[in-house]
Amino acid sequence: MRMAGEVSLDRDHSDYILVRDTIRFISERWRDQPELETIAAAVGTDAGHLHRLFTRWAGLTPKAFVQALTLDEARRMLDQSSSILDTAYEVGLSGPGRLHDLFVTHEAMSPGAYKARGAGVTIAYGFHNSPFGTALVMATDRGLAGIAFADPGEEQKAFRDMSARWPAATYVQDEVVTAPYARQVFDPTVWSQDRPIRLVFIGSDFEVRVWETLLRIPLGKATTYSDIARHIGNPNAARAVGSAVGRNPLSFVVPCHRVLGREGDLCGYHWGLTRKKAILGWETGLARRLGSAEVERG
Protein backbone atom coordinates (compact mmCIF):
# COMPACT_ATOMS: atom_id res chain seq x y z
CA MET A 1 0.00 0.00 0.00
CA ARG A 2 1.45 3.36 -0.99
CA MET A 3 1.46 6.41 1.23
CA ALA A 4 0.16 9.67 -0.21
CA GLY A 5 3.69 11.07 -0.28
CA GLU A 6 4.92 8.08 -2.28
CA VAL A 7 2.20 8.58 -4.88
CA SER A 8 3.19 12.24 -5.14
CA LEU A 9 6.86 11.37 -5.61
CA ASP A 10 5.95 8.84 -8.32
CA ARG A 11 4.12 11.57 -10.19
CA ASP A 12 6.96 14.03 -9.64
CA HIS A 13 9.41 11.43 -10.97
CA SER A 14 7.50 10.97 -14.24
CA ASP A 15 7.08 14.74 -14.51
CA TYR A 16 10.83 15.17 -14.08
CA ILE A 17 11.55 12.84 -16.99
CA LEU A 18 9.44 15.03 -19.27
CA VAL A 19 10.87 18.24 -17.80
CA ARG A 20 14.41 16.90 -18.12
CA ASP A 21 13.90 16.11 -21.82
CA THR A 22 12.35 19.53 -22.35
CA ILE A 23 15.23 21.33 -20.68
CA ARG A 24 17.71 19.33 -22.74
CA PHE A 25 15.91 20.24 -25.98
CA ILE A 26 15.70 23.92 -25.07
CA SER A 27 19.37 24.00 -24.01
CA GLU A 28 20.33 22.71 -27.46
CA ARG A 29 17.87 24.80 -29.49
CA TRP A 30 17.34 28.01 -27.55
CA ARG A 31 18.95 30.11 -30.28
CA ASP A 32 16.12 29.02 -32.59
CA GLN A 33 13.57 30.35 -30.08
CA PRO A 34 11.33 27.30 -30.63
CA GLU A 35 7.59 27.68 -30.13
CA LEU A 36 5.83 25.73 -27.39
CA GLU A 37 4.28 23.41 -29.98
CA THR A 38 7.73 22.58 -31.38
CA ILE A 39 9.11 21.82 -27.93
CA ALA A 40 6.11 19.68 -27.03
CA ALA A 41 6.40 17.66 -30.24
CA ALA A 42 10.09 17.08 -29.61
CA VAL A 43 9.44 15.57 -26.17
CA GLY A 44 6.40 13.58 -27.23
CA THR A 45 3.51 15.42 -25.63
CA ASP A 46 0.98 18.11 -26.51
CA ALA A 47 1.53 21.82 -25.92
CA GLY A 48 -1.31 22.21 -23.44
CA HIS A 49 -0.08 19.39 -21.22
CA LEU A 50 3.50 20.64 -21.33
CA HIS A 51 2.40 24.16 -20.43
CA ARG A 52 0.32 22.92 -17.47
CA LEU A 53 3.08 20.60 -16.31
CA PHE A 54 5.71 23.32 -16.25
CA THR A 55 3.40 25.69 -14.44
CA ARG A 56 2.57 23.10 -11.78
CA TRP A 57 6.04 21.58 -11.52
CA ALA A 58 8.11 24.77 -11.39
CA GLY A 59 5.53 27.49 -10.69
CA LEU A 60 6.58 29.14 -13.95
CA THR A 61 5.42 29.09 -17.56
CA PRO A 62 7.78 27.38 -20.02
CA LYS A 63 8.97 30.76 -21.32
CA ALA A 64 9.65 32.07 -17.81
CA PHE A 65 11.37 28.81 -16.93
CA VAL A 66 13.75 29.17 -19.86
CA GLN A 67 14.50 32.74 -18.85
CA ALA A 68 15.22 31.65 -15.29
CA LEU A 69 17.94 29.32 -16.56
CA THR A 70 19.80 31.86 -18.65
CA LEU A 71 23.17 33.31 -17.76
CA ASP A 72 21.56 36.72 -17.25
CA GLU A 73 19.29 35.24 -14.57
CA ALA A 74 22.26 33.65 -12.83
CA ARG A 75 24.05 37.00 -12.82
CA ARG A 76 20.89 38.70 -11.56
CA MET A 77 20.74 36.28 -8.65
CA LEU A 78 24.28 37.25 -7.69
CA ASP A 79 23.62 40.96 -8.20
CA GLN A 80 20.78 40.93 -5.65
CA SER A 81 23.36 41.10 -2.90
CA SER A 82 27.06 41.91 -2.75
CA SER A 83 27.31 38.61 -0.93
CA ILE A 84 24.49 36.13 -0.44
CA LEU A 85 26.48 34.47 2.33
CA ASP A 86 27.11 37.80 4.12
CA THR A 87 23.37 38.36 4.20
CA ALA A 88 22.68 34.81 5.38
CA TYR A 89 25.18 35.13 8.22
CA GLU A 90 23.69 38.48 9.27
CA VAL A 91 20.13 37.18 9.52
CA GLY A 92 21.10 33.87 11.08
CA LEU A 93 18.66 31.02 10.50
CA SER A 94 15.42 32.98 10.29
CA GLY A 95 13.14 33.91 7.42
CA PRO A 96 11.06 32.04 4.86
CA GLY A 97 13.88 32.09 2.31
CA ARG A 98 15.70 29.40 4.28
CA LEU A 99 12.89 26.88 3.69
CA HIS A 100 13.98 23.30 4.17
CA ASP A 101 17.52 24.36 5.13
CA LEU A 102 15.98 25.59 8.39
CA PHE A 103 14.91 22.07 9.12
CA VAL A 104 18.32 20.42 8.99
CA THR A 105 20.57 19.46 11.86
CA HIS A 106 23.95 17.91 11.24
CA GLU A 107 27.05 16.40 12.76
CA ALA A 108 30.38 15.26 11.36
CA MET A 109 31.66 11.72 11.57
CA SER A 110 34.81 11.52 13.69
CA PRO A 111 38.09 12.18 11.82
CA GLY A 112 39.15 8.63 12.66
CA ALA A 113 36.09 7.14 10.96
CA TYR A 114 36.70 9.26 7.89
CA LYS A 115 40.37 8.30 7.67
CA ALA A 116 39.36 4.65 8.03
CA ARG A 117 37.36 5.15 4.81
CA GLY A 118 34.12 4.14 6.48
CA ALA A 119 35.40 1.03 8.26
CA GLY A 120 33.01 0.03 11.02
CA VAL A 121 30.14 2.04 9.53
CA THR A 122 27.01 0.32 8.19
CA ILE A 123 25.19 2.28 5.47
CA ALA A 124 21.66 1.38 4.39
CA TYR A 125 20.77 2.42 0.85
CA GLY A 126 17.74 2.43 -1.41
CA PHE A 127 16.49 3.82 -4.71
CA HIS A 128 13.44 6.10 -4.70
CA ASN A 129 11.54 8.30 -7.12
CA SER A 130 12.14 12.03 -6.73
CA PRO A 131 11.29 15.24 -8.60
CA PHE A 132 14.72 14.99 -10.26
CA GLY A 133 14.88 11.37 -11.36
CA THR A 134 15.78 8.29 -9.36
CA ALA A 135 17.39 9.20 -6.04
CA LEU A 136 19.90 6.99 -4.26
CA VAL A 137 19.35 7.57 -0.53
CA MET A 138 21.97 6.41 1.99
CA ALA A 139 21.74 6.47 5.79
CA THR A 140 23.59 5.33 8.89
CA ASP A 141 22.04 4.74 12.29
CA ARG A 142 22.90 8.37 13.07
CA GLY A 143 21.15 9.98 10.10
CA LEU A 144 21.13 10.71 6.37
CA ALA A 145 24.61 10.29 4.86
CA GLY A 146 24.13 10.43 1.09
CA ILE A 147 21.85 11.59 -1.73
CA ALA A 148 22.70 10.93 -5.38
CA PHE A 149 20.76 10.89 -8.64
CA ALA A 150 20.54 8.53 -11.59
CA ASP A 151 18.80 8.34 -14.93
CA PRO A 152 17.02 5.06 -15.80
CA GLY A 153 19.48 2.19 -16.08
CA GLU A 154 22.27 4.06 -14.29
CA GLU A 155 21.30 3.24 -10.70
CA GLN A 156 24.25 0.93 -10.06
CA LYS A 157 26.63 3.46 -11.56
CA ALA A 158 25.42 5.99 -8.99
CA PHE A 159 25.82 3.43 -6.21
CA ARG A 160 29.39 2.63 -7.27
CA ASP A 161 30.18 6.35 -7.34
CA MET A 162 28.87 6.90 -3.82
CA SER A 163 30.17 3.69 -2.22
CA ALA A 164 33.67 4.42 -3.56
CA ARG A 165 33.77 7.43 -1.23
CA TRP A 166 33.67 5.15 1.81
CA PRO A 167 34.99 1.85 0.40
CA ALA A 168 35.49 0.13 3.77
CA ALA A 169 31.90 0.64 4.93
CA THR A 170 29.31 -2.15 4.99
CA TYR A 171 26.41 -1.56 2.59
CA VAL A 172 22.92 -3.04 3.01
CA GLN A 173 20.11 -2.34 0.54
CA ASP A 174 17.04 -1.54 2.65
CA GLU A 175 14.35 0.71 1.17
CA VAL A 176 12.31 0.39 4.37
CA VAL A 177 15.05 2.32 6.19
CA THR A 178 15.65 4.89 3.45
CA ALA A 179 12.05 5.60 2.33
CA PRO A 180 11.22 7.95 5.25
CA TYR A 181 14.33 9.98 4.45
CA ALA A 182 13.36 10.18 0.77
CA ARG A 183 9.95 11.56 1.65
CA GLN A 184 11.32 14.00 4.21
CA VAL A 185 13.84 15.34 1.69
CA PHE A 186 11.71 15.62 -1.44
CA ASP A 187 8.17 16.32 -0.21
CA PRO A 188 7.86 19.99 0.84
CA THR A 189 4.51 19.29 2.54
CA VAL A 190 6.31 17.41 5.32
CA TRP A 191 9.18 19.85 5.89
CA SER A 192 8.92 20.83 9.54
CA GLN A 193 11.11 22.69 12.00
CA ASP A 194 9.78 20.34 14.67
CA ARG A 195 11.09 17.31 12.79
CA PRO A 196 14.46 18.23 11.31
CA ILE A 197 16.41 16.00 8.94
CA ARG A 198 19.48 14.70 10.73
CA LEU A 199 22.56 14.66 8.50
CA VAL A 200 25.83 12.85 9.00
CA PHE A 201 28.82 14.38 7.20
CA ILE A 202 31.54 11.88 6.33
CA GLY A 203 34.46 13.90 4.97
CA SER A 204 37.65 15.75 5.80
CA ASP A 205 37.59 18.75 8.13
CA PHE A 206 37.93 21.10 5.15
CA GLU A 207 35.13 19.41 3.23
CA VAL A 208 32.79 19.52 6.21
CA ARG A 209 33.45 23.26 6.64
CA VAL A 210 32.54 23.82 2.98
CA TRP A 211 29.40 21.68 3.23
CA GLU A 212 28.28 23.51 6.37
CA THR A 213 28.70 26.81 4.51
CA LEU A 214 26.62 25.52 1.60
CA LEU A 215 23.72 25.03 4.02
CA ARG A 216 23.61 28.81 4.49
CA ILE A 217 22.76 29.57 0.85
CA PRO A 218 19.03 30.45 0.83
CA LEU A 219 16.71 28.69 -1.57
CA GLY A 220 16.27 30.71 -4.76
CA LYS A 221 19.69 32.37 -4.32
CA ALA A 222 23.23 31.56 -5.43
CA THR A 223 26.84 32.21 -4.46
CA THR A 224 30.33 31.61 -5.84
CA TYR A 225 33.27 29.38 -4.98
CA SER A 226 35.38 32.41 -4.07
CA ASP A 227 32.69 33.71 -1.70
CA ILE A 228 32.58 30.36 0.08
CA ALA A 229 36.39 30.35 0.34
CA ARG A 230 36.29 33.78 1.95
CA HIS A 231 33.68 32.68 4.47
CA ILE A 232 35.67 29.67 5.61
CA GLY A 233 38.65 31.94 6.21
CA ASN A 234 40.75 30.90 3.22
CA PRO A 235 40.08 33.37 0.39
CA ASN A 236 42.73 31.82 -1.87
CA ALA A 237 41.19 28.35 -1.72
CA ALA A 238 38.49 28.74 -4.39
CA ARG A 239 39.85 25.80 -6.37
CA ALA A 240 39.94 23.56 -3.28
CA VAL A 241 36.41 24.71 -2.44
CA GLY A 242 35.32 23.67 -5.92
CA SER A 243 36.72 20.20 -5.33
CA ALA A 244 34.93 19.93 -1.96
CA VAL A 245 31.66 21.10 -3.51
CA GLY A 246 32.05 18.44 -6.20
CA ARG A 247 32.49 15.77 -3.50
CA ASN A 248 29.37 16.82 -1.59
CA PRO A 249 27.68 13.49 -0.74
CA LEU A 250 24.30 15.01 0.13
CA SER A 251 23.10 16.50 -3.14
CA PHE A 252 20.02 18.74 -3.02
CA VAL A 253 19.90 18.72 0.80
CA VAL A 254 23.33 20.36 0.97
CA PRO A 255 22.72 22.72 -1.96
CA CYS A 256 25.90 22.54 -4.03
CA HIS A 257 23.68 23.28 -7.07
CA ARG A 258 23.40 26.88 -5.82
CA VAL A 259 27.11 27.56 -6.42
CA LEU A 260 27.93 29.40 -9.63
CA GLY A 261 31.12 30.44 -11.39
CA ARG A 262 32.75 33.83 -10.86
CA GLU A 263 30.88 35.31 -13.83
CA GLY A 264 27.56 33.79 -12.83
CA ASP A 265 27.79 30.80 -15.18
CA LEU A 266 26.08 27.60 -14.07
CA CYS A 267 29.30 25.51 -14.21
CA GLY A 268 29.10 21.76 -13.94
CA TYR A 269 27.23 19.47 -11.58
CA HIS A 270 28.28 15.98 -10.55
CA TRP A 271 24.87 14.54 -11.46
CA GLY A 272 24.47 16.44 -14.74
CA LEU A 273 24.04 20.09 -15.72
CA THR A 274 20.50 19.43 -16.99
CA ARG A 275 19.55 18.15 -13.55
CA LYS A 276 21.17 21.22 -11.93
CA LYS A 277 19.04 23.47 -14.14
CA ALA A 278 15.94 21.48 -13.25
CA ILE A 279 16.62 21.74 -9.51
CA LEU A 280 17.24 25.50 -9.72
CA GLY A 281 14.02 25.98 -11.71
CA TRP A 282 12.04 23.84 -9.25
CA GLU A 283 13.44 25.83 -6.33
CA THR A 284 12.71 29.14 -8.03
CA GLY A 285 9.07 28.17 -8.44
CA LEU A 286 8.83 26.86 -4.86
CA ALA A 287 10.42 30.00 -3.42
CA ARG A 288 7.95 32.17 -5.33
CA ARG A 289 4.97 30.11 -4.17
CA LEU A 290 6.07 30.14 -0.55
CA GLY A 291 6.91 33.83 -0.77
CA SER A 292 3.39 34.52 -2.02
CA ALA A 293 1.98 32.45 0.85
CA GLU A 294 4.00 34.52 3.33
CA VAL A 295 2.58 37.72 1.83
CA GLU A 296 -0.99 36.37 2.06
CA ARG A 297 -0.52 35.33 5.70
CA GLY A 298 1.04 38.69 6.48
Side-chain angles (χ1 to χ4, degrees):
M1 182 176 181
R2 293 182 182 274
M3 298 172 59
E6 291 176 317
V7 173
S8 176
L9 290 180
D10 284 346
R11 186 191 69 184
D12 286 345
H13 175 75
S14 60
D15 288 350
Y16 167 72
I17 299 300
L18 187 58
V19 169
R20 178 201 64 190
D21 292 345
T22 302
I23 293 173
R24 183 174 294 147
F25 177 81
I26 292 172
S27 296
E28 295 172 351
R29 298 282 302 276
W30 65 271
R31 290 181 179 83
D32 299 335
Q33 294 295 296
E35 298 294 333
L36 177 61
E37 290 75 10
T38 302
I39 299 171
V43 298
T45 188
D46 64 85
H49 174 68
L50 185 61
H51 188 288
R52 290 190 297 272
L53 170 61
F54 259 93
T55 302
R56 174 173 60 79
W57 190 87
L60 303 167
T61 66
K63 182 177 180 180
F65 187 86
V66 173
Q67 293 171 345
L69 300 181
T70 62
L71 197 58
D72 287 341
E73 174 69 8
R75 291 195 181 101
R76 185 191 64 77
M77 292 167 66
L78 289 175
D79 289 342
Q80 288 178 348
S81 170
S82 57
S83 169
I84 293 296
L85 286 175
D86 283 345
T87 302
Y89 272 88
E90 287 174 9
V91 302
L93 296 178
S94 61
R98 294 288 299 164
L99 296 174
H100 79 285
D101 299 337
L102 273 172
F103 313 134
V104 168
T105 181
H106 65 278
E107 64 175 281
M109 192 71 76
S110 69
Y114 169 68
K115 290 179 181 178
R117 308 180 77 188
V121 177
T122 298
I123 299 177
Y125 71 94
F127 296 96
H128 303 273
N129 288 337
S130 85
F132 317 111
T134 299
L136 168 60
V137 179
M138 311 179 85
T140 74
D141 58 358
R142 296 163 65 180
L144 184 66
I147 295 283
F149 295 106
D151 288 329
E154 298 186 348
E155 292 84 359
Q156 291 307 310
K157 179 180 177 182
F159 175 73
R160 289 193 297 271
D161 183 307
M162 292 295 287
S163 59
R165 302 166 190 237
W166 316 297
T170 299
Y171 293 92
V172 179
Q173 185 166 3
D174 192 340
E175 273 81 5
V176 172
V177 171
T178 56
Y181 286 108
R183 184 167 186 240
Q184 195 174 6
V185 168
F186 296 114
D187 187 351
T189 65
V190 302
W191 291 350
S192 170
Q193 196 166 8
D194 298 327
R195 196 164 142 274
I197 304 172
R198 186 162 189 79
L199 309 181
V200 178
F201 289 150
I202 308 177
S204 68
D205 290 341
F206 180 83
E207 288 171 339
V208 169
R209 287 166 61 200
V210 170
W211 301 339
E212 288 174 337
T213 304
L214 292 176
L215 285 172
R216 290 186 174 271
I217 308 172
L219 187 144
K221 306 295 183 182
T223 192
T224 63
Y225 298 108
S226 57
D227 203 20
I228 293 173
R230 183 170 60 83
H231 271 275
I232 64 173
N234 197 342
N236 297 318
R239 186 179 296 275
V241 165
S243 296
V245 169
R247 289 193 296 269
N248 167 34
L250 284 154
S251 297
F252 182 70
V253 178
V254 177
C256 55
H257 54 276
R258 299 179 196 161
V259 183
L260 307 176
R262 182 185 296 272
E263 300 302 322
D265 54 292
L266 291 176
C267 301
Y269 183 58
H270 191 77
W271 306 111
L273 186 56
T274 297
R275 185 170 278 108
K276 179 173 182 173
K277 293 177 180 180
I279 293 174
L280 288 171
W282 186 88
E283 288 189 337
T284 298
L286 182 60
R288 291 185 182 183
R289 291 195 296 273
L290 292 180
S292 298
E294 286 290 321
V295 171
E296 291 176 2
R297 285 197 295 270

